[in-house]
């Protein structure tokens, strides 16, 4: 019987197989609407499974290594927004396209980045301890970044009510359930243990349902998708070196520096997906396509990262 560790270590392979299968089935299926109707339920379970793994009780530990904390702030909330803003000069000034790119690139990953950090010989424990802070910070800063970079253009394409509804349904409610489970972990430890098995299968299931249900709609968005792929690749090339410079400046050790590189370069597509699904019908497919495309590009890039970062970017002394 497969163990949870084996499941987590093989999650990249699982996601790749899932994406290929979803693409094949999506092109040859007539059940796009039925699959799309499953997305809200699956996303709620996925969000809960991700949030329940975040050690919110250890939030203070995020600040215990102050240099790493400062480095995370500089990389994720200063360097990344500047890099993303510059990169968007190379794509059309089309609000739905920009909205998708900003949503996905401005939010640091809080889930599978921990596994990739471990595979890339980084300090995954330090990365894990930082997840509560990263989650809270990105939720607070994302509206500010959207206003700063898109401003009135975002207001013209985003309705506030569905956005708030999506935040409450897909973020607040799963988060509250996860916090309750954590608080009752002594009495409800079995529930917490069972929940720890959910992230990988439900992330794969979510990727499958989203790709299979949306791929038939991508024909009209294909031209836009081709425009953002170079941006995503450029981001994954640029950010490791910026993160490395910040880590050296703050004198982080090699393994912690690698954790910083993975944090700065890995984005949080599935957490912002509910916001994309709350968009008006006329732009929803494009925004979702732009976000899902980043996930596909990123998984391929992470497979390269786990070899390149420890061997070339930050080598052992």
């Amino acid at each position: 019987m497969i163990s949870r560790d084996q499941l987590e270590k093989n999650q990249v392979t699982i996601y790749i197989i899932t994406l290929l299968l979803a693409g094949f089935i999506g092109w040859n299926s007539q059940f796009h609407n039925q699959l799309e109707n499953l997305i809200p339920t699956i996303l709620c379970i996925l969000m809960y499974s991700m949030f329940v793994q975040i050690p919110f009780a250890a939030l203070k530990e995020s600040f215990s290594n102050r240099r790493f904390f400062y480095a995370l702030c500089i990389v994720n909330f200063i360097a990344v927004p500047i890099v993303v803003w510059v990169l968007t000069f190379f794509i059309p000034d089309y609000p739905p396209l920009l909205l998708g790119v900003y949503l996905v690139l401005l939010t640091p990953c809080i889930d599978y980045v921990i596994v990739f950090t471990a595979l890339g010989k980084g300090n995954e424990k330090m990365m894990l301890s930082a997840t509560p802070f990263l989650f809270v910070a990105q939720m607070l800063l994302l509206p500010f970044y959207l206003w700063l970079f898109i401003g009135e253009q975002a207001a013209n394409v985003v309705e506030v009510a569905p956005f708030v509804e999506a935040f409450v349904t897909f973020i607040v409610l799963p988060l509250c359930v996860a916090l309750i489970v954590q608080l009752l972990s002594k009495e409800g430890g079995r529930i917490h243990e069972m929940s720890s098995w959910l992230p990988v299968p439900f992330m794969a299931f979510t990727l499958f349902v989203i790709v299979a249900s949306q791929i038939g709609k991508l024909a009209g968005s294909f031209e836009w998708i081709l425009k953002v792929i170079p941006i995503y690749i450029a981001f994954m090339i640029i950010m490791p070196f910026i993160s490395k410079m910040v880590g050296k400046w703050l004198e982080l050790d090699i393994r912690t520096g690698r954790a910083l590189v993975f944090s700065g370069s890995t984005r949080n597509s599935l957490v912002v997906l509910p916001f994309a699904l709350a968009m008006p019908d006329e732009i929803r497919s494009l925004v979702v396509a732009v976000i899902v495309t980043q996930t596909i590009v990123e998984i391929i890039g992470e497979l390269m990262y786990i070899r390149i970062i420890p061997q070339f970017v930050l080598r052992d002394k």
Side-chain angles (χ1 to χ4, degrees):
M1 184 177 177
I2 190 171
S3 68
R4 197 179 75 202
D5 287 341
Q6 289 174 318
L7 190 66
E8 291 178 349
K9 287 179 180 178
N10 291 288
Q11 63 179 288
V12 178
T13 303
I14 294 171
Y15 299 152
I16 292 173
I17 294 173
T18 299
L19 290 171
L20 293 173
L21 187 62
F24 176 77
I25 292 176
W27 278 117
N28 299 280
S29 174
Q30 303 299 318
F31 300 103
H32 298 127
N33 291 334
Q34 290 88 334
L35 287 170
E36 189 169 0
N37 290 335
L38 290 174
I39 293 177
T41 302
I42 294 171
L43 270 178
C44 282
I45 298 173
L46 175 67
M47 293 298 121
Y48 160 76
S49 71
M50 289 165 50
F51 295 154
V52 80
Q53 306 307 311
I54 299 175
F56 288 103
L59 182 59
K60 290 182 179 179
E61 292 182 18
S62 300
F63 308 95
S64 60
N65 186 326
R66 292 190 177 183
R67 285 184 295 180
F68 182 59
F69 167 74
Y70 295 150
L72 280 177
C73 290
I74 293 169
V75 168
N76 283 299
F77 304 122
I78 298 177
V80 166
I82 293 172
V83 169
V84 174
W85 177 67
V86 172
L87 288 175
T88 55
F89 282 102
F90 298 94
I91 58 176
D93 186 16
Y94 182 49
L97 184 72
L98 292 172
L99 194 56
V101 171
Y102 281 129
L103 274 173
V104 74
L105 290 186
L106 291 173
T107 47
C109 186
I110 56 170
D111 39 77
Y112 59 60
V113 66
I114 298 166
V115 174
F116 284 124
T117 300
L119 293 173
K121 299 181 180 178
N123 191 333
E124 74 275 13
K125 292 182 180 179
M126 194 69 71
M127 194 67 256
L128 177 64
S129 71
T131 53
F133 164 73
L134 289 175
F135 171 71
V136 173
Q138 66 182 294
M139 288 297 104
L140 292 175
L141 289 172
L142 185 58
F144 167 73
Y145 286 138
L146 293 179
W147 169 81
L148 181 66
F149 294 136
I150 309 180
E152 293 183 2
Q153 290 179 306
N156 292 332
V157 298
V158 177
E159 297 178 20
V160 175
F163 213 70
V164 172
E165 183 180 348
F167 181 75
V168 171
T169 303
F170 297 109
I171 303 296
V172 175
L173 290 180
L175 178 61
C176 288
V177 175
L179 288 172
I180 290 171
V181 169
Q182 287 192 12
L183 289 172
L184 301 177
S185 59
K186 290 183 179 179
E187 294 80 11
R190 191 172 180 181
I191 297 176
H192 191 276
E193 174 65 23
M194 291 173 61
S195 299
S196 66
W197 283 82
L198 296 178
V200 175
F202 267 91
M203 189 169 293
F205 195 19
T206 303
L207 287 172
F208 174 83
V209 172
I210 290 169
V211 172
S213 65
Q214 302 296 319
I215 197 166
K217 303 176 183 179
L218 297 188
S221 305
F222 193 65
E223 180 182 351
W224 297 111
I225 291 172
L226 289 178
K227 294 181 186 299
V228 298
I229 288 176
I231 299 300
Y232 295 151
I233 294 173
F235 179 87
M236 295 199 76
I237 292 173
I238 294 170
M239 282 313 304
F241 295 100
I242 293 179
S243 301
K244 177 183 177 180
M245 287 190 295
V246 173
K248 290 186 72 173
W249 175 50
L250 290 171
E251 299 180 340
L252 301 181
D253 63 79
I254 296 297
R255 291 187 70 245
T256 304
R258 289 173 187 154
L260 180 66
V261 169
F262 275 97
S263 178
S265 307
T266 311
R267 302 292 90 191
N268 218 6
S269 59
L270 293 180
V271 165
V272 296
L273 196 56
F275 302 140
L277 294 171
M279 302 286 174
D281 292 342
E282 59 271 18
I283 66 168
R284 181 190 305 151
S285 294
L286 174 58
V287 178
V288 170
V290 168
I291 291 174
V292 172
T293 298
Q294 192 276 336
T295 300
I296 297 170
V297 172
E298 182 172 84
I299 288 176
I300 297 171
E302 296 289 339
L303 291 175
M304 300 179 185
Y305 271 4
I306 60 178
R307 296 185 180 276
I308 293 173
I309 289 174
Q311 292 182 17
F312 300 102
V313 178
L314 275 173
R315 299 174 61 182
D316 290 319
K317 294 181 180 178

